[in-house]
Amino acid sequence: LHQRKIQEQFRGMIQNASDIIMVVDESGLINYATPSLERKLGHSVSDLLGTPLAALLHPDESAIANALISGMSGGSSQAPSLVDWRVRHADGRYLFFEVLTSTLPDDSGAVGLVLTMRDVSQRRALEQQLMHQAFHDTLTGLPNRALFRDRVEQALTRAARTGIAIAVAIVDLDDFKVVNDTRGHAAGDAMLSEVAQRLQMMLRASTTVARLGGDEFAILIEDLDDGSLSQDLIDRIMSPFRAPFVVEREELVVSASIGVVFSGGSELVLNFTELLRCADLALYAAKEQGKGRVEVYHDDLHTRMVNRLNHRSELSNAMKTGQFELHYQPIVLIDTGEILGSEVLVRWHHPTRGLVMPAEFISLAEETGQIIELGRWVLDRACRQWREWADLGYVSHRLSVNVSARQLQEAGFADEVSAVLLRHAMPPTALVLELTESVFALDTSIILEQLTVIADTGVYIAVDDFGTGYSSLSYLRRFHVHELKVDKSFVDGLGTDNPDEGALTSAIVSMAQSLRLEVVAEGIERIAQRDELWSMGCGLGQGYLYSRPVPAEELLVLLSRAQPLGPPSALSGGGNIARLRVPAPIARLPGLG
């Protein structure tokens, strides 16, 4: 009776399992499947019994399945393996399944392949969306810098084999800022989209057109036999700008300056970074010559590189003379406007250029390695500032500090973080380290080791600009991530009449909640954006709706007022915000009283 009861319990578990469990015999025929098959795939179990497994799979997966079955029938022992298969639904579409394959045990008295199948279609769809976002510009649909770099490097490899030159052209719209300032950003975006369409139409299919950012486009031209641009090709690159653009029923004429550089053939072979640098120099020369023209890089433009070296020297001097300062942008609870913490942002107070934004010097600092010294200073200065605020009673304030991949690749970085916290008597839970997704794409053992040590101390790990970089989601657990920061590009389209604008943002928030990760939305500028994020369940936000980045003394004023930031919301008070770890009080370190 006891054994029968156990069998009945086991049968009940199998019958109600959400995963599909299937047994395939040595001939490749299905001879058992759980009822979940009908729920997941729409096929009747009785109709599938005795039919080939391959008939249920996508043709690309059939060969893998047949190989597994052949190995089983040949008597070879097979260890369990995990594979991804596309399985045909009754309506004809294919769903993605994660399939664990294993053979029946030798003492079972039967020969068969056991398949445990889990539907991962939604996860794969989200990964595909994020991958497209990672490698394509959201406004124009063109390849972005990352994908353009990949294609250029492949073209350089092919050119090295064939001896044929390639060319890279940088296209920059002249005085585009005037369009944004006078017609608005919506009109500017419409023009950029039209430029992208015209460039694609005018150039041959083998030519890659990408948007590098702002009003800057890049073109990769391959298979140049004589190592030069023909007049016809130049005309085709310039032709999109000869006809006026119709924006809001008004015709606007905008020209473009273009810098071109060659690699291979009779020219010196350059790498991707050198190609862009030389193309930029040619572009600057085109603008100096009166704009609306094409300039080809030549050695005389090398003096521009000297200026770049001067900038490096200025950056080094800035570190020595204390020209950097920190600003702080509040991070608030969306449903109440209460300040939970702030993101630390570095500014360069240049003696002649004034306040310089990070976009103008961080990439140079990373390229030269100066980012390590600068990052070390930022972390120490930020934690020292936290100590000053904590002494005034603001011990629960959290600081989010950006960390570059170069810093994480330094073997002693985790020790540096611990030392800074100890030096300023700052609890680890008061610090959030923000990393870009590109860090996880490196997937080096030293980075994983550093983050493991840091997370074990209690410091929070956040992914900045989530959804714009590395597309795999597996790193969220592997690298001990606690928080996702939704990139501003996902927030910009919220609060409009188009419901599709928030689909991916909502998916990210839902995924984060299922993984018990905190979500911070960046770049909130309008009430409608805030309210839609609130309705999605996003807990935290930052942006100009609440406050611009401000110096430490101005943030202290905001903290001392103890008032909610941002316009009042009619939605607060009810809500479906999932507060995972906020606003938990921060415990003092031992010995602090």
Side-chain angles (χ1 to χ4, degrees):
L1 288 174
H2 178 67
Q3 192 171 15
R4 185 182 302 166
K5 183 178 179 180
I6 293 175
Q7 290 174 347
E8 290 174 353
Q9 289 176 339
F10 177 73
R11 185 181 298 108
M13 291 170 57
I14 293 296
Q15 295 294 314
N16 293 285
S18 59
D19 291 350
I20 300 172
I21 301 174
M22 187 183 299
V23 178
V24 180
D25 65 19
E26 57 187 351
S27 300
L29 303 180
I30 301 171
N31 60 21
Y32 176 80
T34 54
S36 52
L37 183 143
E38 186 167 350
R39 296 194 298 268
K40 295 288 186 180
L41 294 171
H43 298 283
S44 170
V45 173
S46 59
D47 291 343
L48 288 180
L49 294 180
T51 62
L53 171 65
L56 199 60
L57 304 180
H58 189 279
D60 293 345
E61 270 83 55
S62 297
I64 301 174
N66 290 333
L68 287 171
I69 295 167
S70 298
M72 173 187 64
S73 60
S76 60
S77 176
Q78 299 182 48
S81 63
L82 192 64
V83 294
D84 277 355
W85 282 353
R86 284 164 290 178
V87 184
R88 180 171 53 82
H89 192 276
D91 60 13
R93 60 195 170 98
Y94 285 95
L95 301 180
F96 285 91
F97 276 80
E98 201 172 64
V99 183
L100 178 65
T101 68
S102 58
T103 54
L104 286 172
D106 295 337
D107 59 359
S108 64
V111 177
L113 187 67
V114 181
L115 308 176
T116 305
M117 307 166 63
R118 173 167 296 178
D119 186 356
V120 293
S121 299
Q122 289 186 345
R123 189 200 309 172
R124 293 292 181 266
L126 179 57
E127 287 185 350
Q128 288 174 2
Q129 286 180 293
L130 293 177
M131 181 175 291
H132 186 273
Q133 183 75 19
F135 293 107
H136 291 82
D137 174 56
T138 54
L139 175 64
T140 64
L142 293 177
N144 61 11
R145 181 184 291 267
L147 183 53
F148 184 71
R149 176 174 190 147
D150 180 70
R151 293 188 179 178
V152 169
E153 290 176 345
Q154 291 184 35
L156 288 170
T157 301
R158 288 192 295 270
R161 291 197 307 264
T162 61
I164 297 177
I166 69 167
V168 169
I170 302 296
V171 180
D172 187 85
L173 306 189
D174 297 327
D175 303 318
F176 179 72
K177 186 176 183 298
V178 177
V179 177
N180 275 336
D181 291 345
T182 58
R183 302 297 192 279
H185 288 278
D189 288 348
M191 177 175 288
L192 291 173
S193 297
E194 181 64 22
V195 169
Q197 292 176 13
R198 292 188 186 184
L199 283 172
Q200 287 181 301
M201 290 174 58
M202 295 298 176
L203 299 171
R204 62 190 182 186
S206 60
T207 299
T208 298
V209 181
R211 184 184 179 211
L212 300 185
D215 61 337
E216 192 170 73
F217 296 83
I219 302 172
L220 167 63
I221 306 160
E222 300 186 62
D223 302 331
L224 297 172
D225 294 330
D226 59 353
S228 64
L229 286 181
S230 66
Q231 187 59 46
D232 175 65
L233 186 54
I234 292 176
D235 289 341
R236 278 188 282 148
I237 295 175
M238 297 297 291
S239 61
F241 309 99
R242 295 199 174 100
F245 295 87
V246 179
V247 177
E248 297 177 349
R249 300 180 181 179
E250 183 179 357
E251 289 190 352
L252 298 177
V253 178
V254 174
S255 63
S257 298
I258 301 172
V260 180
V261 61
F262 296 96
S263 176
S266 60
E267 301 291 333
L268 185 66
V269 176
L270 306 175
N271 60 31
F272 176 79
T273 302
E274 293 166 338
L275 281 168
L276 285 195
R277 184 181 302 150
C278 293
D280 275 335
L281 293 178
L283 173 65
Y284 298 148
K287 287 187 175 294
E288 289 176 355
Q289 295 295 323
K291 303 179 181 179
R293 56 180 292 127
V294 177
E295 188 74 26
V296 178
Y297 174 82
H298 50 85
D299 291 339
D300 291 343
L301 296 177
H302 182 72
T303 53
R304 297 298 180 91
M305 295 184 182
V306 175
N307 291 335
R308 186 173 180 82
L309 292 175
N310 290 337
H311 291 159
R312 292 183 183 181
S313 177
E314 287 183 339
L315 190 60
S316 177
N317 185 59
M319 288 297 307
K320 297 175 182 177
T321 57
Q323 296 176 15
F324 291 103
E325 60 186 54
L326 298 183
H327 286 195
Y328 303 82
Q329 185 171 37
I331 299 174
V332 307
L333 292 166
I334 285 182
D335 57 341
T336 65
E338 175 190 349
I339 300 176
L340 174 72
S342 57
E343 180 180 0
V344 182
L345 300 165
V346 65
R347 301 289 188 261
W348 182 2
H349 199 79
H350 194 279
T352 59
R353 296 161 60 191
L355 205 62
V356 181
M357 296 294 104
E360 299 184 46
F361 63 85
I362 289 297
S363 60
L364 181 61
E366 289 182 338
E367 180 184 325
T368 60
Q370 294 168 309
I371 191 67
I372 296 174
E373 182 182 359
L374 177 59
R376 185 179 294 123
W377 177 85
V378 169
L379 180 62
D380 181 76
R381 184 65 188 86
C383 293
R384 186 173 73 183
Q385 182 61 66
W386 182 92
R387 181 72 264 159
E388 293 176 10
W389 288 334
D391 290 342
L392 296 174
Y394 303 107
V395 294
S396 62
H397 193 81
R398 299 179 190 273
L399 283 187
S400 297
V401 180
N402 291 279
V403 175
S404 76
R406 292 290 297 271
Q407 289 175 269
L408 279 170
Q409 289 173 318
E410 292 291 306
F413 178 71
D415 293 334
E416 286 184 18
V417 173
S418 297
V420 169
L421 292 173
L422 184 62
R423 182 161 57 248
H424 299 293
M426 181 177 180
T429 51
L431 179 63
V432 181
L433 297 184
E434 294 190 8
L435 320 173
T436 61
E437 290 183 291
S438 60
V439 170
F440 306 108
L442 298 174
D443 198 17
T444 59
S445 58
I446 187 172
I447 290 179
L448 178 58
E449 180 182 341
Q450 299 262 34
L451 291 180
T452 301
V453 172
I454 291 171
D456 286 345
T457 66
V459 174
Y460 288 107
I461 306 297
V463 180
D464 197 13
D465 302 331
F466 180 75
T468 63
Y470 188 43
S471 59
S472 173
L473 303 180
S474 61
Y475 68 81
L476 295 178
R477 286 301 185 202
R478 290 187 60 230
F479 289 91
H480 312 284
V481 173
H482 304 89
E483 181 180 285
L484 302 184
K485 300 197 74 174
V486 181
D487 185 67
K488 183 180 183 297
S489 62
F490 294 100
V491 176
D492 287 341
L494 300 182
T496 64
D497 295 332
N498 185 359
D500 294 335
E501 289 288 350
L504 190 54
T505 307
S506 179
I508 292 173
V509 173
S510 297
M511 179 200 67
Q513 289 179 345
S514 68
L515 296 175
R516 297 194 60 78
L517 302 178
E518 189 59 75
V519 185
V520 182
E522 298 180 297
I524 304 175
E525 298 179 354
R526 304 192 309 274
I527 295 177
Q529 292 172 332
R530 176 198 64 186
D531 292 346
E532 186 165 352
L533 287 164
W534 180 91
S535 68
M536 293 176 183
C538 182
L540 303 174
Q542 65 184 97
Y544 288 179
L545 179 68
Y546 303 107
S547 172
R548 293 174 178 268
V550 296
E553 57 271 17
E554 292 185 32
L555 184 65
L556 180 60
V557 172
L558 295 177
L559 293 174
S560 62
R561 288 176 182 168
Q563 295 177 352
L565 297 185
S569 172
L571 298 175
S572 58
N576 58 350
I577 297 298
R579 294 186 181 178
L580 303 179
R581 60 171 180 83
V582 294
I586 298 174
R588 289 180 175 270
L589 291 176
L592 295 182

